[in-house]
């Protein structure tokens, strides 16, 4: 991991002003494909890259300065908590809630098939700050009401349950339970209730990097 970071690849999507290499998505895509072609397809690279880009495009200046340099140095890993048991990856049907509590929010709910949360330092987490029923009563689209948070994976109230999956390049996948997990308000990415805009503004690199990894792994297995 540190060798990849020292080569500037972890910080490919991070501008130099925040400690990254600024090499761009093409460089990281080529590197991901080549590494995978040797049997090394690392999901944490994909997840950390997409989450850092989400912070870059949608986070506050303070948030960018707090997280991005550490990511670029290889000192901070991210995972992504979206999928839920009753919703799959249909973001509109999320049931995990984030309710205001003083200066922050309390998260309650459940995620599943979350890769690498046991080794990640933070997870980009999607939760509803306004229920879909409330949104529809106000004549707002079902995408309204979802917010994104950067959540410390060691926060009190988080319980992990490993899922016996295989083929995730050595990573584990988990079901995550949130029980009144406290999140500071400054850890929200983008605007409250408009997290879908921030999310879709950042997902394309995940698709591209995952595809590059799949191509590389295909090369590896047919050699």
């Amino acid at each position: 991991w540190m060798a990849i970071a020292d080569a500037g690849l972890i910080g490919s999507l991070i501008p130099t002003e925040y400690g990254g290499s600024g090499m761009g998505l093409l460089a990281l895509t080529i590197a991901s494909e080549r590494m995978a072609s040797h049997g090394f397809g690392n999901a944490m690279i994909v997840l950390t890259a997409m989450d850092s880009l989400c912070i870059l495009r949608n986070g506050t200046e303070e948030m960018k300065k707090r997280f991005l340099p550490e990511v670029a140095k290889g000192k901070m890993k991210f995972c992504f908590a979206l999928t839920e048991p009753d919703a799959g990856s249909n973001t509109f049907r999320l049931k995990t809630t984030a309710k205001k509590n003083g200066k922050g929010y309390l998260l309650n709910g459940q995620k599943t098939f979350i890769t690498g949360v046991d080794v990640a330092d933070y997870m980009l987490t999607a939760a509803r700050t306004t229920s879909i029923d409330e949104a529809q009563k106000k004549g707002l689209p079902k995408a309204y009401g979802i917010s994104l948070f950067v959540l410390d994976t060691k926060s009190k109230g988080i319980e992990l349950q490993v899922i016996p999956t295989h083929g995730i390049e050595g990573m584990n996948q988990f079901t995550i339970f949130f029980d009144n997990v406290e999140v500071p308000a400054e850890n929200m990415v983008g605007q409250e209730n408009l997290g879908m805009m921030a999310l879709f503004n950042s997902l394309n690199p995940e698709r591209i990097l995952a595809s590059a990894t799949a191509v590389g792994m295909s090369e590896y297995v047919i050699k």
Side-chain angles (χ1 to χ4, degrees):
W1 182 269
M2 290 310 301
I4 296 168
D6 291 343
L9 291 168
I10 304 297
S12 290
L13 306 184
I14 299 174
T16 54
E17 63 185 287
Y18 299 112
S21 65
M23 290 191 294
L25 181 58
L26 179 58
L28 186 55
T29 300
I30 293 170
S32 298
E33 187 273 332
R34 294 315 300 154
M35 287 188 288
S37 72
H38 291 280
F40 181 72
N42 194 303
M44 293 308 296
I45 294 175
V46 177
L47 296 169
T48 299
M50 65 159 287
D51 289 354
S52 63
L53 184 62
C54 187
I55 291 172
L56 176 66
R57 288 181 170 174
N58 308 286
T60 62
E61 188 62 25
E62 184 277 333
M63 177 177 280
K64 295 174 190 177
K65 291 178 178 177
R66 181 157 51 114
F67 292 111
L68 298 184
E70 295 302 295
V71 169
K73 293 175 187 174
K75 294 183 177 180
M76 190 178 288
K77 301 181 182 74
F78 274 79
C79 65
F80 182 45
L82 174 67
T83 304
E84 295 188 0
D86 297 326
S89 295
N90 182 348
T91 313
F92 303 133
R93 294 177 56 196
L94 295 185
K95 293 183 179 179
T96 297
T97 60
K99 300 295 184 183
K100 282 186 177 178
N101 178 49
K103 295 182 179 180
Y105 294 81
L106 286 180
L107 261 66
N108 285 280
Q110 185 178 349
K111 302 290 183 180
T112 194
F113 292 109
I114 308 304
T115 303
V117 63
D118 56 331
V119 296
D121 302 289
Y122 291 90
M123 60 178 128
L124 183 64
T125 308
R128 275 206 168 271
T129 40
T130 299
S131 72
I132 193 167
D133 290 337
E134 291 177 281
Q136 290 179 333
K137 284 178 183 177
K138 296 177 181 178
L140 296 166
K142 57 185 177 181
Y144 182 87
I146 295 170
S147 300
L148 293 179
F149 300 90
V150 173
L151 181 59
D152 189 329
T153 56
K154 303 300 187 292
S155 297
K156 183 179 178 181
I158 294 177
E159 180 185 341
L160 305 181
Q161 187 177 89
V162 69
I163 302 171
T165 53
H166 299 280
I168 314 292
E169 300 90 48
M171 307 302 299
N172 292 315
Q173 290 191 305
F174 294 83
T175 295
I176 306 175
F177 300 92
F178 302 114
D179 183 10
N180 286 328
V181 179
E182 296 183 2
V183 190
E186 60 266 25
N187 279 27
M188 178 180 286
V189 184
Q191 296 177 280
E192 185 179 69
N193 294 316
L194 299 178
M196 286 299 293
M197 294 177 64
L199 192 59
F200 286 130
N201 190 28
S202 312
L203 280 178
N204 281 345
E206 181 204 21
R207 303 314 198 237
I208 293 168
L209 292 171
S211 298
T213 300
V215 170
M217 293 296 283
S218 298
E219 294 174 6
Y220 177 71
V221 299
I222 62 176
K223 284 180 180 178

